[in-house]
Amino acid sequence: MKNRLRWWVIPVAALALGACKKKEEVKSADMPVQVAEPGEVVVSAPEEKAAALSVEERAAKLGFVKHLPMETEAVMSFHNGSKTAERLKASKLWKLVESEMGMGMDVEDEAGFEEMEEDFEMPEGEQDATVEEAPGDAEPMGPAALFGTEFTIAMGKSTGVQTANLLTLNRRVSYFQMRSFAKALVEAAKTGDFSGVSASYADYGVELAKDLISDPESGVGLFEKMNMPPMTIAFRVSSSGRDAAAQQLAALIENLAMFGEMVEPMEVERNGQAFLGQKISGAKISESMAESRGEMDEMLDAATVDRILAAVAAKDLVVASGTVGEYAVLFIGSSLDELQFAPDVAGSLAASDAMAFCDAYAAKELAAVIHGKKEMLDEMLASVGGLSDMAAGLRDGLSGSDGLGDTRDLETLLRMVGEREAGLRKLAGNEALGMVAFFEDGLKIESYGGTDNGIVDWKTPNRLASLGDGEDVVMFANMTTDAVYDEKARAYLETLMETGYALAMKVSEVPVESEDMAEFKEMAKMFDTRFRPDVVAVWDALCGDFGDSLGNESAWVMDLKGSVPAIPGIPQAVADEAKFPRLTMIASVEDRAKLASSWDKMNASLTSIMAKAGEMSGKELPMQKPVSSERNGYTTWFFALPFFNDEFMPSVTVGDQWFAASTSKNQALDLIDKAAAGGESRTGLWFRFNFKELGKVSLETVELLAKQAEALDLSESDLEDLRLVIEAMDDLDSLSVHARRENGALRSSVHLKTR
């Protein structure tokens, strides 16, 4: 039981990113703030009054960015790694994780583990803002030391194009896999042998390779365009450890010698510094492939083989290392010509307006800085795949076949999947991405731009924003969805369901005799002839009248003020005193007549389903009749069960203005009253999780369980495990997320607040 209770906290420790420390009284006079929740502060967008940094000041703050050329397409820079690690290791969460990781170790294992930890320590003095330390600073003590101060990954020109090429290849793989699957299904229908159907989808062999090579989208033409985009990895190290760091990188490159004669030594000078490395020669690989060309000629025509060999010959992989200023640098690309650095700070990426989003956070203790060009994101968005590629593969695999009978209707549905997915994609757009993570009352992440999928209505104010107020609210989520996205997403989902049903019906018609197929056919026939009309009616009621009856804004609110249901076997004291989650979804009512109509339709269909299920089981299963109660013009509908109470009552509450679906009648009515009273409105997407309240109530619950341990068959060890988990969570206060548009630009703020 110990493992079951405690292992789930490991991902939480990773999320914390070492942010767990006591509150810091660091405030920026230049940074405008806005109150999001009681006791919660969210950094807002920097305004014009926020002082812009000079190029030199920005370069000093951003580190290696000052060496990157303007055309750099993406940068991910991580700062203060040692301090992050120290925070993480000092947190209660990490100590719990550490104890779990050490379970079962003998003395020798523990000694080895401690030695490994020592190797990952940063040398004294590596965490200062300056990098030129006094003589005598300790040398790095292992590869992990390279990540202790600043670690940067930069992607150069062509990154967007080359990533798009890989995404295109992945899409075509999905297409051909599903086309192969459809063809195998048709063949199985003819022969009665289904053994090869599942294997056809997982086949990455010769046939798939031939399909890809001969394909106009993913064939030789795409391969000729593909190349390794230039990637530069930089590690900031002290002057005393720079030579050792450079030697570590050089030793890593030496491992390429395993490729033997394919590898050639390389050397180039950049910014007055020598870069040494190895090149895996495409020409030599091509020569080696040509020696066994006969095998390729058996698969492909001679002209295609010639193009493949020529394309391979033109593709080198170069890996080199050296030093630039205070950085040890590793470069990976297709040519040393792509290894470029800015001529000076004024000509670097740091001088670009694209990095100005960082200026407002100059006084912060940075954890990470990320930047991506809009053009790169556009290339990737245009090439990303989806279900439409799989649907197209199925459609083309079925087209013209006769093994499954007439498949034209199914092919039409599969085509509609692609069309409706494309319609959703058109709602998405990109802006240049900028992101800053820094330590302040925990960890804060401020982002600018990026991809907007079109889901959120950024302009319409959220009238339910105030429902998240209060320290006893454990979880709150609130957003207004875009009406156009809602309509297109609903149509897309309906098409997927129709397509799945049509495909299942086609398979059920296959004249194959086997026990599994007979069972599948029976279930398909039963659904199609007995339940399909009712299921379709329920779906239509949900997506039709019900969806149209409510507003586009919704809020989800959870607290821990409910009562435990009095289920047999639960001690009376637990039922009387323990707290239980209450969760409510609330939305405005736009058309009550349609809301009532949707229930009438669903009730009729569900009643029919219950009656048919009863006929099959031999026992009559009448549809339960809901009970209602009235308060202030609102009716709460619920099914009466012996262990329900006002605080645990799955129910629906409806009136002329508001609709609430809840696990608690009382919570629903309280939230409706609060929504009717109005309050502060906000725009965008909001989310908040209150770890502090969760921990408080959890601890109270454990102590109550301890008093009833014998009745609940809980050992002291079980209770102690629960206490350890709760205590480990004590470092976390809350997690809040706010995504919105400010001055037309996409913005988001994330705050993992710690204590």
Side-chain angles (χ1 to χ4, degrees), residues 455-465 478-484 551-554 588 590 681-686 738-741:
I455 299 174
V456 180
D457 179 350
W458 304 109
K459 297 179 181 179
T460 303
N462 295 337
R463 295 184 294 160
L464 301 174
N478 179 212
M479 66 180 287
T480 299
T481 57
D482 183 85
V484 175
N552 289 330
E553 181 189 359
S554 61
S588 63
E590 301 298 319
S681 64
R682 309 186 186 105
T683 59
L685 179 150
W686 286 84
H738 180 204
R740 71 274 187 196
R741 282 197 173 274

PDB file of all heavy atoms in Angstrom, residues 455-465 478-484 551-554 588 590 681-686 738-741:
ATOM      1  N   ILE A 455     -10.020  27.945 -29.855  1.00  0.00           N
ATOM      2  CA  ILE A 455     -11.033  27.387 -28.948  1.00  0.00           C
ATOM      3  C   ILE A 455     -11.678  28.466 -28.081  1.00  0.00           C
ATOM      4  O   ILE A 455     -12.892  28.454 -27.848  1.00  0.00           O
ATOM      5  CB  ILE A 455     -10.395  26.311 -28.042  1.00  0.00           C
ATOM      6  CG1 ILE A 455      -9.832  25.167 -28.881  1.00  0.00           C
ATOM      7  CG2 ILE A 455     -11.392  25.789 -27.031  1.00  0.00           C
ATOM      8  CD1 ILE A 455      -9.071  24.135 -28.081  1.00  0.00           C
ATOM      9  N   VAL A 456     -10.882  29.428 -27.619  1.00  0.00           N
ATOM     10  CA  VAL A 456     -11.353  30.394 -26.621  1.00  0.00           C
ATOM     11  C   VAL A 456     -11.843  31.676 -27.291  1.00  0.00           C
ATOM     12  O   VAL A 456     -11.222  32.194 -28.218  1.00  0.00           O
ATOM     13  CB  VAL A 456     -10.231  30.721 -25.621  1.00  0.00           C
ATOM     14  CG1 VAL A 456     -10.719  31.718 -24.574  1.00  0.00           C
ATOM     15  CG2 VAL A 456      -9.719  29.447 -24.954  1.00  0.00           C
ATOM     16  N   ASP A 457     -12.965  32.175 -26.794  1.00  0.00           N
ATOM     17  CA  ASP A 457     -13.450  33.500 -27.165  1.00  0.00           C
ATOM     18  C   ASP A 457     -12.746  34.502 -26.254  1.00  0.00           C
ATOM     19  O   ASP A 457     -13.053  34.596 -25.069  1.00  0.00           O
ATOM     20  CB  ASP A 457     -14.971  33.566 -26.977  1.00  0.00           C
ATOM     21  CG  ASP A 457     -15.553  34.934 -27.312  1.00  0.00           C
ATOM     22  OD1 ASP A 457     -14.780  35.890 -27.500  1.00  0.00           O
ATOM     23  OD2 ASP A 457     -16.788  35.052 -27.376  1.00  0.00           O
ATOM     24  N   TRP A 458     -11.788  35.227 -26.812  1.00  0.00           N
ATOM     25  CA  TRP A 458     -10.948  36.098 -25.997  1.00  0.00           C
ATOM     26  C   TRP A 458     -11.615  37.436 -25.675  1.00  0.00           C
ATOM     27  O   TRP A 458     -11.155  38.154 -24.786  1.00  0.00           O
ATOM     28  CB  TRP A 458      -9.625  36.368 -26.707  1.00  0.00           C
ATOM     29  CG  TRP A 458      -8.857  35.149 -27.070  1.00  0.00           C
ATOM     30  CD1 TRP A 458      -8.664  34.639 -28.316  1.00  0.00           C
ATOM     31  CD2 TRP A 458      -8.160  34.269 -26.183  1.00  0.00           C
ATOM     32  NE1 TRP A 458      -7.906  33.500 -28.278  1.00  0.00           N
ATOM     33  CE2 TRP A 458      -7.577  33.253 -26.972  1.00  0.00           C
ATOM     34  CE3 TRP A 458      -7.974  34.238 -24.797  1.00  0.00           C
ATOM     35  CZ2 TRP A 458      -6.825  32.216 -26.417  1.00  0.00           C
ATOM     36  CZ3 TRP A 458      -7.231  33.215 -24.242  1.00  0.00           C
ATOM     37  CH2 TRP A 458      -6.664  32.220 -25.042  1.00  0.00           C
ATOM     38  N   LYS A 459     -12.673  37.788 -26.387  1.00  0.00           N
ATOM     39  CA  LYS A 459     -13.253  39.120 -26.249  1.00  0.00           C
ATOM     40  C   LYS A 459     -14.398  39.180 -25.248  1.00  0.00           C
ATOM     41  O   LYS A 459     -14.558  40.167 -24.536  1.00  0.00           O
ATOM     42  CB  LYS A 459     -13.738  39.613 -27.617  1.00  0.00           C
ATOM     43  CG  LYS A 459     -12.632  39.786 -28.640  1.00  0.00           C
ATOM     44  CD  LYS A 459     -13.190  40.256 -29.980  1.00  0.00           C
ATOM     45  CE  LYS A 459     -12.087  40.414 -31.010  1.00  0.00           C
ATOM     46  NZ  LYS A 459     -12.623  40.855 -32.339  1.00  0.00           N
ATOM     47  N   THR A 460     -15.221  38.141 -25.207  1.00  0.00           N
ATOM     48  CA  THR A 460     -16.401  38.162 -24.347  1.00  0.00           C
ATOM     49  C   THR A 460     -16.007  38.008 -22.877  1.00  0.00           C
ATOM     50  O   THR A 460     -15.324  37.047 -22.511  1.00  0.00           O
ATOM     51  CB  THR A 460     -17.368  37.030 -24.731  1.00  0.00           C
ATOM     52  OG1 THR A 460     -17.714  37.165 -26.118  1.00  0.00           O
ATOM     53  CG2 THR A 460     -18.620  37.078 -23.881  1.00  0.00           C
ATOM     54  N   PRO A 461     -16.429  38.932 -22.012  1.00  0.00           N
ATOM     55  CA  PRO A 461     -16.082  38.822 -20.581  1.00  0.00           C
ATOM     56  C   PRO A 461     -16.701  37.573 -19.952  1.00  0.00           C
ATOM     57  O   PRO A 461     -17.829  37.193 -20.284  1.00  0.00           O
ATOM     58  CB  PRO A 461     -16.672  40.101 -19.976  1.00  0.00           C
ATOM     59  CG  PRO A 461     -16.856  41.039 -21.128  1.00  0.00           C
ATOM     60  CD  PRO A 461     -17.171  40.169 -22.308  1.00  0.00           C
ATOM     61  N   ASN A 462     -15.967  36.966 -19.046  1.00  0.00           N
ATOM     62  CA  ASN A 462     -16.463  35.813 -18.283  1.00  0.00           C
ATOM     63  C   ASN A 462     -17.240  36.325 -17.070  1.00  0.00           C
ATOM     64  O   ASN A 462     -16.654  36.868 -16.129  1.00  0.00           O
ATOM     65  CB  ASN A 462     -15.307  34.930 -17.822  1.00  0.00           C
ATOM     66  CG  ASN A 462     -14.577  34.295 -18.978  1.00  0.00           C
ATOM     67  OD1 ASN A 462     -15.127  34.148 -20.058  1.00  0.00           O
ATOM     68  ND2 ASN A 462     -13.330  33.930 -18.765  1.00  0.00           N
ATOM     69  N   ARG A 463     -18.551  36.121 -17.084  1.00  0.00           N
ATOM     70  CA  ARG A 463     -19.386  36.615 -15.987  1.00  0.00           C
ATOM     71  C   ARG A 463     -19.281  35.757 -14.737  1.00  0.00           C
ATOM     72  O   ARG A 463     -19.722  36.165 -13.659  1.00  0.00           O
ATOM     73  CB  ARG A 463     -20.853  36.676 -16.428  1.00  0.00           C
ATOM     74  CG  ARG A 463     -21.138  37.672 -17.539  1.00  0.00           C
ATOM     75  CD  ARG A 463     -22.619  37.744 -17.835  1.00  0.00           C
ATOM     76  NE  ARG A 463     -23.118  36.493 -18.392  1.00  0.00           N
ATOM     77  CZ  ARG A 463     -24.408  36.138 -18.380  1.00  0.00           C
ATOM     78  NH1 ARG A 463     -25.307  36.898 -17.805  1.00  0.00           N
ATOM     79  NH2 ARG A 463     -24.784  34.995 -18.925  1.00  0.00           N
ATOM     80  N   LEU A 464     -18.713  34.559 -14.867  1.00  0.00           N
ATOM     81  CA  LEU A 464     -18.653  33.645 -13.730  1.00  0.00           C
ATOM     82  C   LEU A 464     -17.298  33.669 -13.028  1.00  0.00           C
ATOM     83  O   LEU A 464     -16.998  32.799 -12.226  1.00  0.00           O
ATOM     84  CB  LEU A 464     -18.958  32.220 -14.213  1.00  0.00           C
ATOM     85  CG  LEU A 464     -20.315  32.028 -14.882  1.00  0.00           C
ATOM     86  CD1 LEU A 464     -20.431  30.618 -15.452  1.00  0.00           C
ATOM     87  CD2 LEU A 464     -21.439  32.292 -13.892  1.00  0.00           C
ATOM     88  N   ALA A 465     -16.480  34.654 -13.339  1.00  0.00           N
ATOM     89  CA  ALA A 465     -15.116  34.692 -12.804  1.00  0.00           C
ATOM     90  C   ALA A 465     -15.082  34.724 -11.284  1.00  0.00           C
ATOM     91  O   ALA A 465     -14.192  34.132 -10.659  1.00  0.00           O
ATOM     92  CB  ALA A 465     -14.377  35.911 -13.366  1.00  0.00           C
ATOM     93  N   ASN A 478     -12.594  28.333 -15.752  1.00  0.00           N
ATOM     94  CA  ASN A 478     -13.592  29.211 -16.339  1.00  0.00           C
ATOM     95  C   ASN A 478     -13.117  29.684 -17.714  1.00  0.00           C
ATOM     96  O   ASN A 478     -11.973  30.118 -17.866  1.00  0.00           O
ATOM     97  CB  ASN A 478     -13.815  30.405 -15.406  1.00  0.00           C
ATOM     98  CG  ASN A 478     -14.831  31.408 -15.922  1.00  0.00           C
ATOM     99  OD1 ASN A 478     -14.707  32.592 -15.652  1.00  0.00           O
ATOM    100  ND2 ASN A 478     -15.839  30.971 -16.643  1.00  0.00           N
ATOM    101  N   MET A 479     -13.982  29.568 -18.705  1.00  0.00           N
ATOM    102  CA  MET A 479     -13.656  30.075 -20.031  1.00  0.00           C
ATOM    103  C   MET A 479     -14.940  30.221 -20.840  1.00  0.00           C
ATOM    104  O   MET A 479     -15.976  29.634 -20.512  1.00  0.00           O
ATOM    105  CB  MET A 479     -12.698  29.132 -20.775  1.00  0.00           C
ATOM    106  CG  MET A 479     -13.293  27.777 -21.125  1.00  0.00           C
ATOM    107  SD  MET A 479     -12.155  26.677 -22.017  1.00  0.00           S
ATOM    108  CE  MET A 479     -12.136  27.440 -23.626  1.00  0.00           C
ATOM    109  N   THR A 480     -14.846  31.021 -21.902  1.00  0.00           N
ATOM    110  CA  THR A 480     -15.922  31.148 -22.871  1.00  0.00           C
ATOM    111  C   THR A 480     -15.404  30.608 -24.194  1.00  0.00           C
ATOM    112  O   THR A 480     -14.398  31.102 -24.720  1.00  0.00           O
ATOM    113  CB  THR A 480     -16.353  32.614 -23.043  1.00  0.00           C
ATOM    114  OG1 THR A 480     -16.822  33.123 -21.791  1.00  0.00           O
ATOM    115  CG2 THR A 480     -17.464  32.732 -24.083  1.00  0.00           C
ATOM    116  N   THR A 481     -16.058  29.588 -24.715  1.00  0.00           N
ATOM    117  CA  THR A 481     -15.593  28.986 -25.962  1.00  0.00           C
ATOM    118  C   THR A 481     -16.082  29.793 -27.155  1.00  0.00           C
ATOM    119  O   THR A 481     -17.137  30.430 -27.113  1.00  0.00           O
ATOM    120  CB  THR A 481     -16.075  27.536 -26.096  1.00  0.00           C
ATOM    121  OG1 THR A 481     -17.502  27.510 -26.000  1.00  0.00           O
ATOM    122  CG2 THR A 481     -15.484  26.665 -25.001  1.00  0.00           C
ATOM    123  N   ASP A 482     -15.304  29.760 -28.220  1.00  0.00           N
ATOM    124  CA  ASP A 482     -15.653  30.454 -29.445  1.00  0.00           C
ATOM    125  C   ASP A 482     -16.804  29.725 -30.141  1.00  0.00           C
ATOM    126  O   ASP A 482     -16.755  28.506 -30.334  1.00  0.00           O
ATOM    127  CB  ASP A 482     -14.436  30.526 -30.362  1.00  0.00           C
ATOM    128  CG  ASP A 482     -14.721  31.300 -31.624  1.00  0.00           C
ATOM    129  OD1 ASP A 482     -14.600  32.535 -31.595  1.00  0.00           O
ATOM    130  OD2 ASP A 482     -15.058  30.662 -32.644  1.00  0.00           O
ATOM    131  N   ALA A 483     -17.832  30.449 -30.521  1.00  0.00           N
ATOM    132  CA  ALA A 483     -19.029  29.829 -31.096  1.00  0.00           C
ATOM    133  C   ALA A 483     -18.718  29.121 -32.413  1.00  0.00           C
ATOM    134  O   ALA A 483     -19.252  28.034 -32.684  1.00  0.00           O
ATOM    135  CB  ALA A 483     -20.114  30.886 -31.309  1.00  0.00           C
ATOM    136  N   VAL A 484     -17.861  29.713 -33.229  1.00  0.00           N
ATOM    137  CA  VAL A 484     -17.521  29.093 -34.507  1.00  0.00           C
ATOM    138  C   VAL A 484     -16.759  27.793 -34.273  1.00  0.00           C
ATOM    139  O   VAL A 484     -17.025  26.770 -34.921  1.00  0.00           O
ATOM    140  CB  VAL A 484     -16.692  30.059 -35.374  1.00  0.00           C
ATOM    141  CG1 VAL A 484     -16.232  29.373 -36.661  1.00  0.00           C
ATOM    142  CG2 VAL A 484     -17.498  31.306 -35.697  1.00  0.00           C
ATOM    143  N   GLY A 551     -25.258  28.944 -22.706  1.00  0.00           N
ATOM    144  CA  GLY A 551     -24.288  29.910 -23.204  1.00  0.00           C
ATOM    145  C   GLY A 551     -22.931  29.267 -23.417  1.00  0.00           C
ATOM    146  O   GLY A 551     -22.671  28.140 -22.970  1.00  0.00           O
ATOM    147  N   ASN A 552     -22.052  29.988 -24.075  1.00  0.00           N
ATOM    148  CA  ASN A 552     -20.720  29.452 -24.376  1.00  0.00           C
ATOM    149  C   ASN A 552     -19.773  29.520 -23.186  1.00  0.00           C
ATOM    150  O   ASN A 552     -18.716  28.885 -23.201  1.00  0.00           O
ATOM    151  CB  ASN A 552     -20.099  30.205 -25.556  1.00  0.00           C
ATOM    152  CG  ASN A 552     -20.777  29.872 -26.868  1.00  0.00           C
ATOM    153  OD1 ASN A 552     -21.286  28.774 -27.042  1.00  0.00           O
ATOM    154  ND2 ASN A 552     -20.815  30.823 -27.778  1.00  0.00           N
ATOM    155  N   GLU A 553     -20.123  30.286 -22.172  1.00  0.00           N
ATOM    156  CA  GLU A 553     -19.273  30.352 -20.980  1.00  0.00           C
ATOM    157  C   GLU A 553     -19.669  29.267 -19.992  1.00  0.00           C
ATOM    158  O   GLU A 553     -20.859  28.994 -19.783  1.00  0.00           O
ATOM    159  CB  GLU A 553     -19.385  31.709 -20.287  1.00  0.00           C
ATOM    160  CG  GLU A 553     -18.489  31.803 -19.058  1.00  0.00           C
ATOM    161  CD  GLU A 553     -18.721  33.032 -18.205  1.00  0.00           C
ATOM    162  OE1 GLU A 553     -19.588  33.858 -18.571  1.00  0.00           O
ATOM    163  OE2 GLU A 553     -18.046  33.179 -17.166  1.00  0.00           O
ATOM    164  N   SER A 554     -18.685  28.645 -19.385  1.00  0.00           N
ATOM    165  CA  SER A 554     -18.937  27.671 -18.330  1.00  0.00           C
ATOM    166  C   SER A 554     -17.871  27.813 -17.259  1.00  0.00           C
ATOM    167  O   SER A 554     -16.779  28.321 -17.519  1.00  0.00           O
ATOM    168  CB  SER A 554     -18.932  26.241 -18.881  1.00  0.00           C
ATOM    169  OG  SER A 554     -17.676  25.934 -19.449  1.00  0.00           O
ATOM    170  N   SER A 588     -24.852  29.647 -18.241  1.00  0.00           N
ATOM    171  CA  SER A 588     -26.070  30.442 -18.368  1.00  0.00           C
ATOM    172  C   SER A 588     -27.077  29.717 -19.251  1.00  0.00           C
ATOM    173  O   SER A 588     -26.718  28.937 -20.129  1.00  0.00           O
ATOM    174  CB  SER A 588     -25.747  31.815 -18.971  1.00  0.00           C
ATOM    175  OG  SER A 588     -25.234  31.672 -20.283  1.00  0.00           O
ATOM    176  N   GLU A 590     -29.692  30.113 -22.131  1.00  0.00           N
ATOM    177  CA  GLU A 590     -30.044  31.029 -23.214  1.00  0.00           C
ATOM    178  C   GLU A 590     -31.426  30.726 -23.787  1.00  0.00           C
ATOM    179  O   GLU A 590     -32.075  31.613 -24.334  1.00  0.00           O
ATOM    180  CB  GLU A 590     -28.997  30.930 -24.328  1.00  0.00           C
ATOM    181  CG  GLU A 590     -27.571  31.248 -23.879  1.00  0.00           C
ATOM    182  CD  GLU A 590     -27.435  32.669 -23.363  1.00  0.00           C
ATOM    183  OE1 GLU A 590     -28.024  33.582 -23.970  1.00  0.00           O
ATOM    184  OE2 GLU A 590     -26.732  32.864 -22.344  1.00  0.00           O
ATOM    185  N   SER A 681     -15.599  40.574 -13.634  1.00  0.00           N
ATOM    186  CA  SER A 681     -15.540  39.781 -14.860  1.00  0.00           C
ATOM    187  C   SER A 681     -14.122  39.819 -15.413  1.00  0.00           C
ATOM    188  O   SER A 681     -13.388  40.784 -15.205  1.00  0.00           O
ATOM    189  CB  SER A 681     -16.531  40.308 -15.904  1.00  0.00           C
ATOM    190  OG  SER A 681     -16.173  41.612 -16.306  1.00  0.00           O
ATOM    191  N   ARG A 682     -13.742  38.753 -16.090  1.00  0.00           N
ATOM    192  CA  ARG A 682     -12.422  38.665 -16.700  1.00  0.00           C
ATOM    193  C   ARG A 682     -12.587  38.055 -18.079  1.00  0.00           C
ATOM    194  O   ARG A 682     -13.640  37.517 -18.407  1.00  0.00           O
ATOM    195  CB  ARG A 682     -11.479  37.803 -15.859  1.00  0.00           C
ATOM    196  CG  ARG A 682     -11.400  38.174 -14.390  1.00  0.00           C
ATOM    197  CD  ARG A 682     -10.333  37.347 -13.689  1.00  0.00           C
ATOM    198  NE  ARG A 682     -10.332  37.582 -12.250  1.00  0.00           N
ATOM    199  CZ  ARG A 682     -10.808  36.742 -11.350  1.00  0.00           C
ATOM    200  NH1 ARG A 682     -11.323  35.595 -11.755  1.00  0.00           N
ATOM    201  NH2 ARG A 682     -10.771  37.016 -10.072  1.00  0.00           N
ATOM    202  N   THR A 683     -11.550  38.108 -18.878  1.00  0.00           N
ATOM    203  CA  THR A 683     -11.597  37.477 -20.189  1.00  0.00           C
ATOM    204  C   THR A 683     -10.561  36.371 -20.260  1.00  0.00           C
ATOM    205  O   THR A 683      -9.588  36.354 -19.514  1.00  0.00           O
ATOM    206  CB  THR A 683     -11.319  38.493 -21.307  1.00  0.00           C
ATOM    207  OG1 THR A 683     -10.024  39.077 -21.110  1.00  0.00           O
ATOM    208  CG2 THR A 683     -12.380  39.576 -21.352  1.00  0.00           C
ATOM    209  N   GLY A 684     -10.784  35.433 -21.181  1.00  0.00           N
ATOM    210  CA  GLY A 684      -9.811  34.380 -21.413  1.00  0.00           C
ATOM    211  C   GLY A 684     -10.093  33.123 -20.629  1.00  0.00           C
ATOM    212  O   GLY A 684     -11.210  32.862 -20.170  1.00  0.00           O
ATOM    213  N   LEU A 685      -9.071  32.331 -20.467  1.00  0.00           N
ATOM    214  CA  LEU A 685      -9.155  31.045 -19.765  1.00  0.00           C
ATOM    215  C   LEU A 685      -8.501  31.173 -18.398  1.00  0.00           C
ATOM    216  O   LEU A 685      -7.372  31.671 -18.288  1.00  0.00           O
ATOM    217  CB  LEU A 685      -8.465  29.963 -20.590  1.00  0.00           C
ATOM    218  CG  LEU A 685      -8.428  28.539 -20.020  1.00  0.00           C
ATOM    219  CD1 LEU A 685      -8.410  27.528 -21.162  1.00  0.00           C
ATOM    220  CD2 LEU A 685      -7.192  28.306 -19.129  1.00  0.00           C
ATOM    221  N   TRP A 686      -9.215  30.706 -17.379  1.00  0.00           N
ATOM    222  CA  TRP A 686      -8.700  30.741 -16.009  1.00  0.00           C
ATOM    223  C   TRP A 686      -8.706  29.342 -15.411  1.00  0.00           C
ATOM    224  O   TRP A 686      -9.632  28.562 -15.620  1.00  0.00           O
ATOM    225  CB  TRP A 686      -9.565  31.651 -15.130  1.00  0.00           C
ATOM    226  CG  TRP A 686      -9.365  33.096 -15.398  1.00  0.00           C
ATOM    227  CD1 TRP A 686      -9.965  33.849 -16.367  1.00  0.00           C
ATOM    228  CD2 TRP A 686      -8.493  33.978 -14.697  1.00  0.00           C
ATOM    229  NE1 TRP A 686      -9.524  35.132 -16.312  1.00  0.00           N
ATOM    230  CE2 TRP A 686      -8.620  35.244 -15.294  1.00  0.00           C
ATOM    231  CE3 TRP A 686      -7.617  33.823 -13.618  1.00  0.00           C
ATOM    232  CZ2 TRP A 686      -7.903  36.349 -14.848  1.00  0.00           C
ATOM    233  CZ3 TRP A 686      -6.906  34.920 -13.176  1.00  0.00           C
ATOM    234  CH2 TRP A 686      -7.047  36.167 -13.781  1.00  0.00           C
ATOM    235  N   HIS A 738      -3.672  31.748 -16.350  1.00  0.00           N
ATOM    236  CA  HIS A 738      -4.549  32.713 -16.995  1.00  0.00           C
ATOM    237  C   HIS A 738      -4.056  32.944 -18.412  1.00  0.00           C
ATOM    238  O   HIS A 738      -2.956  33.453 -18.625  1.00  0.00           O
ATOM    239  CB  HIS A 738      -4.566  34.046 -16.236  1.00  0.00           C
ATOM    240  CG  HIS A 738      -5.453  35.082 -16.868  1.00  0.00           C
ATOM    241  ND1 HIS A 738      -5.267  36.433 -16.678  1.00  0.00           N
ATOM    242  CD2 HIS A 738      -6.527  34.955 -17.700  1.00  0.00           C
ATOM    243  CE1 HIS A 738      -6.192  37.098 -17.370  1.00  0.00           C
ATOM    244  NE2 HIS A 738      -6.961  36.229 -17.990  1.00  0.00           N
ATOM    245  N   ALA A 739      -4.856  32.530 -19.397  1.00  0.00           N
ATOM    246  CA  ALA A 739      -4.551  32.785 -20.805  1.00  0.00           C
ATOM    247  C   ALA A 739      -5.535  33.823 -21.316  1.00  0.00           C
ATOM    248  O   ALA A 739      -6.734  33.752 -21.027  1.00  0.00           O
ATOM    249  CB  ALA A 739      -4.658  31.492 -21.620  1.00  0.00           C
ATOM    250  N   ARG A 740      -5.047  34.794 -22.084  1.00  0.00           N
ATOM    251  CA  ARG A 740      -5.907  35.875 -22.567  1.00  0.00           C
ATOM    252  C   ARG A 740      -5.231  36.579 -23.730  1.00  0.00           C
ATOM    253  O   ARG A 740      -4.110  36.235 -24.099  1.00  0.00           O
ATOM    254  CB  ARG A 740      -6.195  36.891 -21.466  1.00  0.00           C
ATOM    255  CG  ARG A 740      -4.997  37.777 -21.044  1.00  0.00           C
ATOM    256  CD  ARG A 740      -4.169  37.133 -20.008  1.00  0.00           C
ATOM    257  NE  ARG A 740      -3.117  38.003 -19.476  1.00  0.00           N
ATOM    258  CZ  ARG A 740      -2.078  37.551 -18.783  1.00  0.00           C
ATOM    259  NH1 ARG A 740      -1.944  36.253 -18.556  1.00  0.00           N
ATOM    260  NH2 ARG A 740      -1.180  38.389 -18.306  1.00  0.00           N
ATOM    261  N   ARG A 741      -5.899  37.571 -24.263  1.00  0.00           N
ATOM    262  CA  ARG A 741      -5.292  38.457 -25.250  1.00  0.00           C
ATOM    263  C   ARG A 741      -5.209  39.852 -24.655  1.00  0.00           C
ATOM    264  O   ARG A 741      -6.180  40.357 -24.110  1.00  0.00           O
ATOM    265  CB  ARG A 741      -6.093  38.474 -26.553  1.00  0.00           C
ATOM    266  CG  ARG A 741      -5.840  37.247 -27.413  1.00  0.00           C
ATOM    267  CD  ARG A 741      -6.291  37.433 -28.846  1.00  0.00           C
ATOM    268  NE  ARG A 741      -5.887  36.293 -29.665  1.00  0.00           N
ATOM    269  CZ  ARG A 741      -4.710  36.178 -30.262  1.00  0.00           C
ATOM    270  NH1 ARG A 741      -3.818  37.158 -30.146  1.00  0.00           N
ATOM    271  NH2 ARG A 741      -4.411  35.113 -30.981  1.00  0.00           N
TER     272      ARG A 741
END
